[in-house]
Amino acid sequence: MSGYPISIQESIKKLEQTRSFRLTQEIPRLSFSEREQLLKECHPDYRPDSIKEVRVGPNKGERLTNKLADLLEAKSSLKPDKIDLQFIDHEVDILVIGGGGAGVSAALIAQERGASVLLATKLRIGDSNTIMAEGGIAAATQCNDTPERHFLDTIGGGRFKNKKDLVSALVHDAPLMVEWLKDLGCMFDTHDNGDFVVSFAGGQQRRRVHSCKDTSGLEFMRVIRDELYNRKIPVLEYCPAIELLLDEEGKSAGAILKNIETGEHLIVKAKAVILATGGIGRLHPCDFPTTNHYGATADGLVIAYRAGANLLHMDHIQFHPTGAMWPEQMLGQLITEACRGNGSHLVNINGDRFINELETRDTVSSAILREVKDRGNGIPTPTGKEGIWLDTPLINIRGDAGKLDRMFAGIVHRFNEYGIDVRKEPIMIFPTQHYQNGGVEIDSDARTSVAGIYAAGECSGGVQGINRLGGNSLLDIFVFGHRSANNACEYVKKVKVGKLSLRHITEYNRQLDEVGINNGLTSPILLPDYTREAVKIKSYN
Amino acid sequence: MEEKLVDINVMGKLYQVPEGLTIMTAMEWIGYKFTRGCGCRGGFCGACGTFYRLPGNYKLQVGLACSTKIIPSMYLTQIPYFPSQKALYDLDEIENPVKALLELYPEIKKCVGCGACVKACPQNLRPIDYIAAALRGDWKEAAELSFDCIMCGLCASRCTGELVPYNIALFVRRYFSKSVRPKPKHIIDRNKEIREGMFDEAVKALASLSEEELKKKYDLREFEKL
Ligand SMILES: Cc1cc2nc3c(=O)[nH]c(=O)nc-3n(C[C@H](O)[C@H](O)[C@H](O)COP(=O)(O)OP(=O)(O)OC[C@H]3O[C@@H](n4cnc5c(N)ncnc54)[C@H](O)[C@@H]3O)c2cc1C
Ligand code: SF4
Ligand code: SF4
Ligand code: FES
């Protein structure tokens, strides 16, 4: 029995009929210039209403993704004159903000190196994009692979906009990070002889993604979180940072946290701050659904920006080609690239392929949008949307009958809940917002442009250029988690923090007034608001 | 199109919501704004474990609020947190893992084999089996049987022996992955090369190329075959 509505089943038959032909079909890769052409025609970044100018702050005059620009032009949610900075609740060397992979790895390393550390996070520790990562971590660990190859793939994937020193750091540290995770007890997929299993990701010329089934991020996150507990590193959950603190010289001095369960504010004095607040998905850039966790609201960008740190590449958002389109309950949820990496095809309503599935994400997403919107080759759903097939049964056909169960247990399980057997039937997909690409600009020591403020992971910018390759983010968070901690530890040995100040907030608000901006918003928003209009109206707020 | 509304009962209060939503989106439709009980929204983080019953059926059912479709007339409560204990340990210091397991989690011997944990697991795991495997010292089996655990805590909330199965499993998996499984030679060799700086020159040379030269190299890459 099919888990799909009858109206869709016809096109599944077509897909089955073309399977044997498709298995022999080679679709050549696009050249770099063909790719640029396709992106400019079809990628959501190039829609005229996707970006907008920000009129204050370090990136003044630049055009950024519009939902972020709005939050940068919003007033601080804090009333600076109401806060008494005399009452310090916590005083530490290093405050880590964000409890995903970047934050937790930074906290582990900083404590190992002797710093006093406090980790503050918005929800529970681990409620993050990291825990959702499926495919795995990229590293050139195989004998047919090298860091140079990884460098070239990453920088071309990023459309040559990446900061080269950051990419050099990334590919250099990659195999070290895989070993670090293995030593902590992460359960990587292995061959019978113990060697790591590696898979393809789009745009990577070698198999180099190391996985833990299709829940790699869950495995990494639960292991490093366990280690954080073992080392008794202090953690404040449900306490997001709502502004950073500077001293009179404009150096980092800590942050103000807000307990979102009680409303109480906490003042943390710290010599250095490591920002690791993750991504932007819950702002729904370009109004797409998202794969991101509930707390991905770009808070780190907003507070760092007010403190004077500049952003990089925030005009380019990553849309992942394969977000779930059916069942509706799963709309926008990620179907890992490893499905394509292990041989699934993308197929239109006529049963045809239309792009080499292992092109970079920006390319594949654009090709899907072209196929559906421009060429009318999408498969209509009963609720009036359109999608494309991801031919998952091919994974078992090309591999062996148990491969989906072995490597993609999570997907098999999640679709099974809705009566869809992905071993026998394809998955309907459509692009979904996935990754932030840019962020707070860092250098290869993870320093931002503000002394004492470091950034690591998805909230940072420069590593991935304007399009990230699969597997490179789980890598990024550990590489720069480590680097930020190492460098912050050196920094705190030397620095003296002066008197705490929120003058930058007052000043920022003043600049907004000066330009005459009053968009009625306050930021950071901390959590998205999914309340229905009908309910909102009746709450008379 | 008129949405068809169905009854659901959230923590004792009756509401009408459109059919087809998940428990989480139904609660948001009602007007709940989550701080607890919602994390990834995709079935990975274990923040949203939910118990429910259906009228006329004594059976206690479980699901993840973010990925379970509502059933008309269901009455539910979320368990966003359940008190648990976690043993502290240093993996590097563990010499005799069986002894360590019994010392860290002595309550493991109190497992009575009742199977309540199996009924409580939204991931369809069988804690009873992975606990038994751990007790036998079968690390591989225990690690593999527990791998899909999202640490939601529901099994611990039902456990007759007052175990916290998921924390026991995490210790077992970490020990197994670190110490039972060998470290692949290819990673040891590669990291020796990395530490010796074997690739530094080549990467530096690439990084010094102009964008035009890099683009040329990029288009000429040869891909490993799928
Ligand atoms: C579904 C999915 C699948 C993915 N799969 C892969 C993959 O296979 N391979 C890969 O390389 N990459 C993958 N990625 C990308 C990768 O997982 C993320 O980019 C990466 O894990 C981000 O890590 P992070 O630590 O920077 O941020 P996160 O893991 O998102 O952590 C940020 C943390 O900061 C907290 N926070 C936010 N704001 C505040 C605040 N104001 N104060 C305090 N705390 C705050 C958040 O609650 C969260 O805990 C995937 C992403 C998603 C969403
Ligand atoms: S084993 Fe326990 S903690 Fe893990 S998913 Fe199942 S019920 Fe949740
Ligand atoms: S509920 Fe507890 S006592 Fe019962 S089988 Fe499971 S682990 Fe054992
Ligand atoms: S919200 Fe993470 S599992 Fe449901």
Side-chain angles (χ1 to χ4, degrees), chain A residues 32 124 140 145 153 164 179 182-184 188 205-207 222 226-227 230 261 294 329 532, chain B residues 20 29 34 36 39 45 86 89 147 149 174 177-178 181 183 190-191 209 219 221-222 224:
Chain A
F32 186 74
R124 301 175 315 164
D145 200 4
D153 293 346
K164 288 176 179 169
E179 190 172 1
K182 157 84 182 160
D183 286 342
L184 282 169
F188 283 102
Q205 56 179 305
R206 292 289 181 270
R207 285 188 169 83
R222 64 193 173 190
D226 191 52
E227 192 59 19
N230 281 347
E261 297 196 305
Y294 187 46
Q329 291 86 353
R532 277 182 304 143
Chain B
W29 194 89
F34 289 102
R36 291 233 172 212
C45 76
K86 193 202 106 60
Y89 48 84
F147 186 82
C149 171
R174 287 190 65 188
S177 308
K178 179 184 170 71
R181 276 185 169 175
K183 190 185 286 189
R190 177 51 47 94
N191 280 332
L209 296 182
D219 276 343
R221 289 173 306 158
E222 278 189 24
E224 183 179 349

Side-chain angles (χ1 to χ4, degrees), chain B residues 117 120-123 125 127 130 148-156 165-166:
Chain B
C117 50
C121 181
Q123 292 288 87
L125 299 179
Y130 69 64
D148 293 342
C149 171
I150 55 174
M151 305 182 73
C152 67
L154 294 189
C155 54
Y166 56 92

